Amino acid sequence: MKICVLVKEVPDAAVEKRIDPSTGRMDRSGEKNLNPYDTHAIEAAMQIREGGAVQVDEIVALTMGPESAMRALHKAVSLGADRSIHLTDPALAGSDVAATGYALSKALASEQPDLVLLGQQSDDGECYTIGAVVADHLQMPSLTQVIKMDVEDGALRCERQAEYGYDTVQVRLPAVISVGDAINEPRYPSLKAIMGARKKPLEQVAAGDVGIDPGLVGADGSRVQCGDFHDPPAKAPGQVIEDEDTSETVDKIVAWLEERKLI
Amino acid sequence: MADVLTYVLHFQGAFNKNSLGAVSEGAARAQEIGGQCHAVVVGGEDLSDELCSSLGAYGATRVFRAAGLEGLAQPVIDVMAKVIDDHGHSYALFGGGLLGFEIGAGLAARKQAGVTMEVTQVRAENGKLVAERPILQDSKVSVSRYRGDLGIIIGRINAFETVTRDGGSAEVVDVDVDYSPWSNQATMVARGEQRGADVDIEGADILVAGGRGLGKPEGFELVEQLAAAFGGNTAVAATRAVVDAGWYPYAAQIGQTGKTVSPKLYLAAGISGAIQHKVGMQSSENIIAINKDANAPIFEFSDLGVVGDLNKILPRLADAIKAKKGG
Ligand SMILES: Cc1cc2nc3c(=O)[nH]c(=O)nc-3n(C[C@H](O)[C@H](O)[C@H](O)COP(=O)(O)OP(=O)(O)OC[C@H]3O[C@@H](n4cnc5c(N)ncnc54)[C@H](O)[C@@H]3O)c2cc1C
Ligand SMILES: Nc1ncnc2c1ncn2[C@@H]1O[C@H](COP(=O)(O)O)[C@@H](O)[C@H]1O
């Protein structure tokens, strides 16, 4: 079985995210990292391999993004992927969710995976939906937010929380599964794995190499145009207490509660 | 034609509240652009004529009913794609929730349509619909405009109000769909399982909520002690992170796939304030957050933010409140 894991490079959690007023796109400069949610997807692939219920021949990490996104791939292989693919092309810049999912699906199609795993959300885009887009293009079933996944008779038994409680769904492969962050505790890469990461095969592919229709990607190919960025209605900022002396802090909280007749 | 197609989720013979919100919203916006609002339902015997036509009370004029698996996205995508192919709807609208995200995105792929999720407001502009979506932890709002024949709008949970009108009854039309082979690859083994105790939190005046910052399941003892100190009509609530981890029962979960509450006081301890949690508690009258990270998003929408270690603060706060009440 071959597993492809979708990973993304995102601004580091500590970096303040903003819209670049000149381009109307997310300002992606500054410190970057592998999307933390994607480390759960890589870990899930590793656990399927180590679980032994099915033989995993290869785990391939795939990202779409600019030059710098390569670092997310290095991190992904240090966490266990065997090789990685970097889909990068100026023509892809500015793609919306649907266009991004389409482009990724084309790169995936040339890999013919039995299972595609991805994270529950990207830290910057927060669309929760790339998996569903990719799956429809690949003509595979898809589930998102999966928090438990077992291989059973060549199928996956998946659990997740949906609108009415926990659902258990049996999915026959090939399939696209996005995993929630409760699914596992990702391991830390060993120093050896970090050092070895650059030696594992990394292939760069352009849009044309995987048959992406240029009319369906990039800002011009996207069906949604985002703009008119503005501030939400202002809300009066709340009061903030830094806890230095806890008895003082507690007194302040109690006073605040009393003032509002909450105790 | 500028018709709007919505999907209405149901469970055990009742429609989902957010889906009804989508129908109400779809009907109001469709009217502004000279169209009608239709709904798609997919399921079994429980989708009676009577139940389906009752969607007319929320503004749907026609309901397309297909027999198929409930609770999974792929069959619904097949049905909606067919209905749109046959009738040429201009927009598909979803009321938020997990399934709406999956169906809306899959439909966008199938129909080469644009999609916007987490939408909090839809408005008509020059005969078209535009969608507003908060981004960057709700610090900015982005406006989506659609190109092409179809635009897909996925609402944020609780964003669309449910509005009923008098005497509405929708026409019910059965649709025959050849499901895609990949739709048949997934089957529901168990749906809507409730995990853990059946606690009742919706009527509480005060909710003391705990998140991953409690560190371990036993951390909930601190939260329970504080709730006991408040006494009266106080209950304990939780985030999905700790419910998924098995620290606390699902019935206590607040947020997108949990409950929506608006108590007099919501005290959040060790909760980061993710959007999916926020949507379930933001209309609480008073919000107190205790978090050791001064940059935690929850401080953006709390009335009183306490930057500090909950392990130090919660026990002392419980004692102080008990002392106040006793004295
Ligand atoms: C489709 C979808 C649906 C979802 N539905 C829901 C839902 O219904 N409800 C829900 O809650 N979430 C939901 N989520 C998950 C949500 O995105 C967050 O992951 C979740 O709410 C985080 O829970 P948390 O705040 O407990 O944990 P974290 O985000 O990990 O936050 C823990 C916080 O504790 C603080 N902390 C740590 N130690 C201490 C200490 N000693 N003292 C004080 N503070 C401390 C940290 O600074 C941190 O801010 C959903 C996500 C998706 C994608
Ligand atoms: N540009 C990208 N390249 C590769 N994977 C991506 C990309 N964007 C999103 N993903 C994957 O899709 C998941 C969900 O992202 P999103 O739908 O943006 O919240 C992420 O966790 C990644 O696994």
Side-chain angles (χ1 to χ4, degrees):
Chain A
M1 156 152 132
K2 179 175 183 175
I3 304 178
C4 285
V5 185
L6 294 182
V7 299
K8 188 182 183 189
E9 183 191 50
V10 295
D12 193 83
V15 175
E16 196 178 338
K17 302 171 189 84
R18 62 170 205 122
I19 297 291
D20 180 341
S22 64
T23 61
R25 292 180 198 160
M26 184 107 49
D27 176 3
R28 291 194 159 87
S29 60
E31 204 50 41
K32 295 196 193 73
N33 213 332
L34 171 62
N35 179 23
Y37 293 98
D38 298 345
T39 60
H40 296 274
I42 300 166
E43 180 64 30
M46 293 298 284
Q47 290 188 8
I48 294 177
R49 167 178 271 170
E50 290 160 2
V54 57
Q55 188 186 321
V56 175
D57 304 307
E58 217 184 7
I59 299 173
V60 183
L62 166 65
T63 197
M64 166 177 141
E67 190 64 27
S68 63
M70 201 191 289
R71 286 184 308 227
L73 293 176
H74 287 148
K75 182 92 186 278
V77 292
S78 77
L79 289 167
D82 301 304
R83 65 182 171 91
S84 58
I85 301 168
H86 186 185
L87 172 60
T88 184
D89 198 313
L92 298 168
S95 295
D96 68 2
V97 190
T100 302
Y102 161 73
L104 287 168
S105 77
K106 291 305 259 186
L108 286 166
S110 46
E111 286 292 320
Q112 305 239 320
D114 302 287
L115 176 62
V116 178
L117 294 176
L118 59 165
Q120 74 173 38
Q121 69 196 74
S122 57
D123 232 4
D124 54 348
E126 295 194 307
C127 298
Y128 326 102
T129 45
I130 294 280
V133 176
V134 163
D136 206 77
H137 284 296
L138 293 175
Q139 306 198 330
M140 292 181 189
S142 140
L143 283 184
T144 63
Q145 312 293 326
V146 168
I147 56 152
K148 191 166 188 295
M149 187 168 61
D150 296 304
V151 186
E152 234 179 48
D153 314 320
L156 293 175
R157 190 185 167 92
C158 301
E159 293 181 22
R160 58 151 172 192
Q161 208 185 78
E163 12 280 298
Y164 295 103
Y166 286 86
D167 290 354
T168 303
V169 183
Q170 165 109 358
V171 185
R172 275 188 288 124
L173 300 176
V176 179
I177 306 286
S178 101
V179 301
D181 57 352
I183 194 168
N184 54 39
E185 212 36 79
R187 67 195 72 185
Y188 287 101
S190 67
L191 192 60
K192 190 164 154 253
I194 296 171
M195 302 304 284
R198 279 161 205 275
K199 297 200 193 79
K200 291 204 196 166
L202 189 160
E203 185 192 353
Q204 267 202 357
V205 294
D209 299 336
V210 289
I212 291 170
D213 177 347
L216 298 178
V217 292
D220 290 342
S222 293
R223 297 290 191 272
V224 171
Q225 265 180 308
C226 295
D228 296 2
F229 299 104
H230 60 276
D231 292 331
K235 182 179 179 274
Q239 186 185 336
V240 175
I241 306 172
E242 302 264 354
D243 178 40
E244 275 149 15
D245 173 343
T246 302
S247 29
E248 233 173 75
T249 302
V250 165
D251 286 346
K252 283 184 196 157
I253 302 173
V254 169
W256 193 91
L257 290 168
E258 281 188 315
E259 214 173 287
R260 286 161 185 77
K261 302 199 166 37
L262 292 164
I263 43 174
Chain B
M1 202 165 49
D3 293 339
V4 176
L5 188 64
T6 59
Y7 166 63
V8 179
L9 172 69
H10 74 289
F11 182 59
Q12 296 178 339
F15 290 128
N16 181 277
K17 178 177 155 275
N18 271 280
S19 297
L20 297 177
V23 175
S24 306
E25 179 74 15
R29 298 292 85 80
Q31 199 171 23
E32 289 173 354
I33 55 170
Q36 296 190 337
C37 179
H38 300 157
V40 160
V41 292
V42 179
E45 301 277 299
D46 56 342
L47 289 173
S48 65
D49 286 351
E50 197 192 348
L51 183 68
C52 295
S53 62
S54 75
L55 290 174
Y58 305 92
T61 53
R62 196 180 296 167
V63 176
F64 297 96
R65 173 175 59 190
L69 270 183
E70 306 171 40
L72 293 171
Q74 267 78 37
V76 183
I77 298 169
D78 289 341
V79 177
M80 292 186 84
K82 179 174 166 44
V83 169
I84 291 168
D85 285 343
D86 291 349
H87 300 268
H89 295 85
S90 302
Y91 298 93
L93 180 72
F94 300 85
L98 197 57
L99 224 48
F101 275 76
E102 294 180 337
I103 299 165
L107 190 61
R110 185 83 56 95
K111 301 292 303 167
Q112 272 182 23
V115 57
T116 310
M117 55 289 302
E118 291 277 315
V119 169
T120 50
Q121 209 191 330
V122 184
R123 51 192 166 78
E125 187 185 273
N126 306 325
K128 294 188 165 181
L129 295 185
V130 302
E132 298 208 344
R133 172 193 179 174
I135 54 171
L136 306 175
Q137 292 289 347
D138 290 0
S139 63
K140 282 278 170 213
V141 178
S142 158
V143 179
S144 288
R145 293 186 172 78
Y146 296 89
R147 294 186 184 134
D149 302 330
L150 179 68
I152 297 178
I153 300 169
I154 306 172
R156 178 176 279 187
I157 205 134
N158 301 329
F160 304 139
E161 212 181 318
T162 305
V163 184
T164 48
R165 23 183 112 192
D166 288 340
S169 172
E171 171 196 5
V172 182
V173 181
D174 283 303
V175 273
D176 252 334
V177 182
D178 288 326
Y179 287 107
S180 309
W182 61 97
S183 290
N184 295 322
Q185 267 173 253
T187 46
M188 186 70 78
V189 178
R191 187 173 175 212
E193 190 193 325
Q194 305 298 307
R195 292 192 176 162
D198 181 21
V199 293
D200 182 16
I201 60 169
E202 276 162 298
D205 289 331
I206 297 178
L207 282 174
V208 185
R212 190 141 49 191
L214 295 175
K216 50 184 187 298
E218 295 73 35
F220 265 97
E221 284 165 21
L222 296 179
V223 174
E224 280 169 346
Q225 280 156 15
L226 180 56
F230 275 111
N233 193 2
T234 303
V236 171
T239 65
R240 186 181 81 167
V242 293
V243 170
D244 273 347
W247 299 4
Y248 220 69
Y250 169 70
Q253 183 181 308
I254 304 299
Q256 181 170 333
T257 48
K259 304 218 157 76
T260 297
V261 291
S262 42
K264 291 201 177 80
L265 173 66
Y266 192 91
L267 190 151
I271 294 178
S272 60
I275 303 296
Q276 295 83 11
H277 188 76
K278 178 182 175 183
V279 291
M281 47 66 78
Q282 62 186 353
S283 55
S284 302
E285 281 172 44
N286 295 284
I287 298 171
I288 301 184
I290 301 175
N291 195 306
K292 67 175 183 190
D293 174 8
N295 292 317
I298 194 144
F299 291 131
E300 301 292 329
F301 55 93
S302 49
D303 304 298
L304 177 62
V306 182
V307 184
D309 184 351
L310 63 89
N311 295 301
K312 276 172 39 192
I313 299 166
L314 292 187
R316 306 267 294 261
L317 182 58
D319 288 344
I321 291 172
K322 252 189 285 177
K324 263 287 168 268
K325 293 215 151 191

